Amino acid sequence: MKNFISANDTGDPNQLALHAAEIKKNPHANRKLGCNKVLGMIFFNSSLRTRMSTTRAAYNLGMKVMTLNVSADLWQLEMEDGTVMDQGNAEHVRDAIPVMASYCDVLAVRSFPTLVDREEDYKEKLINSFVQLASCPIVNLESATLHPLQSLADLLTIREHQSNEKSKVVLTWAPHIKPLPQSVANSFAQWMIASDVNLTITQPEGMELAPQFSDGALIETNQEKALQNADFVYVKSWSSYTDYGKIHKAPNWMMTNTKLDLTNNAKLMHCLPVRRNVVIADDAMDSDQSVIQELAANRLWAAQVVLTEILKGL
Ligand code: CP
């Protein structure tokens, strides 16, 4: 594997999830693979799970890790080509990225969209700049439109709990007080469709996801109808793709135990962080059906299999 940016870099997402499951059984089997190799992690935004799971994965493979928080540690970066840099940004990504790559064997990057200009966000300028300008492999720790490490952990968790090939997976929109990226939901849809999972997406009218990621899923605007016979329910808030970056107020879309009762005793999933009693009610969060903590723990194996595949190619 050269870079890990989306489901398209995996060859077969199901095979990668199977490999992650093998690594989970024997996490230290490749503890020398990353010996003398350095992972650089660049965070343009906050993170708990992605940061800790990827760091631990690198340690399990014998790598050293350097982490930079852009807002605290770096000169302010300019991304536009041809800009006269007489304002706040002190360093251009054209100069900074090759320097970072010269100190690292793998670079991993976390950034969010502006949620102001859809066309610009969906161009994925930042992660693409890293791919183009770095001389080393790039791992997407969440970009403007996708979160592939999250989706790989989602797929691993579903495969671990799946009792039959025809399981029904429902991705349901949930309310939120802030506009959130579409990246987790886009990525979940992309990975489920690429893995041949039976996917239904339910959201209020106007909250449809980008067609390039959701085409192939069944779309149902009636949440209760969508939840019927579901084996897995993945809850996520996202801001509007069509009325870009705007929030939708529909508190009755919050996930509850009463709604889970409509399902086939479905496993409840969410990527975290979650605002309790806004996105998911306490009774559902703390129910036996929740595999949310298990899913967060699986982020480690998703990161470790991706680093393993990349290190094998170095
Ligand atoms: N799910 C997830 O990516 O969590 P963090 O933002 O804490 O990394």
Side-chain angles (χ1 to χ4, degrees):
M1 189 184 288
K2 171 74 175 98
N3 299 303
F4 182 73
I5 308 300
S6 80
N8 300 332
D9 296 306
T10 64
D12 179 352
N14 288 314
Q15 286 303 319
L16 198 61
L18 275 175
H19 189 185
E22 283 165 22
I23 287 173
K24 183 174 178 176
K25 284 184 210 148
N26 195 1
H28 302 291
N30 279 316
R31 64 186 177 279
K32 292 188 180 159
L33 187 64
C35 185
N36 297 326
K37 297 280 190 278
V38 172
L39 169 67
M41 296 207 294
I42 318 297
F43 284 89
F44 286 77
N45 300 90
S46 307
S47 165
L48 186 163
R49 281 143 289 272
T50 306
R51 179 184 307 241
M52 292 188 73
S53 61
T54 310
T55 304
R56 177 62 198 266
Y59 290 166
N60 284 354
L61 293 165
M63 298 182 87
K64 300 275 192 299
V65 180
M66 294 195 284
T67 301
L68 291 179
N69 299 304
V70 171
S71 60
D73 300 332
L74 263 64
W75 304 109
Q76 280 189 292
L77 291 173
E78 176 61 53
M79 269 179 269
E80 291 301 323
D81 282 335
T83 308
V84 177
M85 289 172 57
D86 58 358
Q87 301 296 312
N89 295 338
E91 180 158 19
H92 203 285
V93 288
R94 281 195 170 277
D95 306 313
I97 293 172
V99 171
M100 291 190 257
S102 74
Y103 304 143
C104 299
D105 300 285
V106 181
L107 279 174
V109 187
R110 151 69 67 101
S111 70
F112 282 175
T114 63
L115 295 177
V116 173
D117 185 332
R118 183 175 89 183
E119 207 172 312
E120 284 301 304
D121 285 344
Y122 274 71
K123 280 183 194 163
E124 289 282 16
K125 269 189 185 164
L126 184 68
I127 197 87
N128 287 334
S129 296
F130 271 89
V131 171
Q132 283 157 17
L133 298 168
S135 53
C136 65
I138 302 298
V139 176
N140 184 350
L141 298 177
E142 187 172 356
S143 63
T145 68
L146 292 172
H147 195 351
L149 281 176
Q150 179 65 53
S151 308
L152 177 52
D154 300 337
L155 180 60
L156 171 62
T157 308
I158 288 171
R159 293 302 187 208
E160 285 178 334
H161 285 279
Q162 202 167 23
S163 53
N164 69 71
E165 277 299 311
K166 295 202 170 139
S167 298
K168 178 179 175 183
V169 177
V170 176
L171 167 63
T172 177
W173 178 88
H176 204 278
I177 59 162
K178 286 183 173 175
L180 294 190
Q182 292 115 31
S183 52
V184 170
N186 281 343
S187 202
F188 185 78
Q190 185 194 42
W191 279 70
M192 291 304 117
I193 292 162
S195 311
D196 220 12
V197 166
N198 173 10
L199 177 67
T200 299
I201 303 175
T202 184
Q203 84 277 307
E205 298 269 2
M207 297 307 287
E208 294 80 10
L209 290 168
Q212 65 262 42
F213 300 119
S214 57
D215 275 357
L218 182 71
I219 308 296
E220 172 56 67
T221 53
N222 182 326
Q223 189 191 38
E224 294 194 353
K225 194 170 164 199
L227 291 171
Q228 281 163 19
N229 298 317
D231 298 295
F232 296 88
V233 175
Y234 198 98
V235 183
K236 186 70 188 87
S237 313
W238 62 84
S239 59
S240 177
Y241 173 75
T242 44
D243 191 8
Y244 193 62
K246 298 290 184 300
I247 60 169
H248 181 83
K249 288 187 181 154
N252 56 327
W253 277 70
M254 178 176 73
M255 187 51 55
T256 62
N257 254 356
T258 309
K259 287 185 187 172
L260 285 178
D261 284 345
L262 299 169
T263 69
N264 182 28
N265 199 27
K267 300 297 180 198
L268 175 66
M269 303 172 75
H270 187 281
C271 63
L272 297 176
V274 67
R275 285 181 183 257
R276 281 172 174 251
N277 304 312
V278 174
V279 178
I280 304 179
D282 277 339
D283 62 2
M285 278 299 292
D286 300 327
S287 74
D288 290 343
Q289 284 170 254
S290 171
V291 292
I292 290 171
Q293 286 294 326
E294 212 177 299
L295 170 55
N298 274 341
R299 290 292 307 273
L300 169 54
W301 315 117
Q304 192 164 329
V305 73
V306 166
L307 289 176
T308 300
E309 291 295 327
I310 287 176
L311 287 168
K312 279 183 188 166
L314 290 183

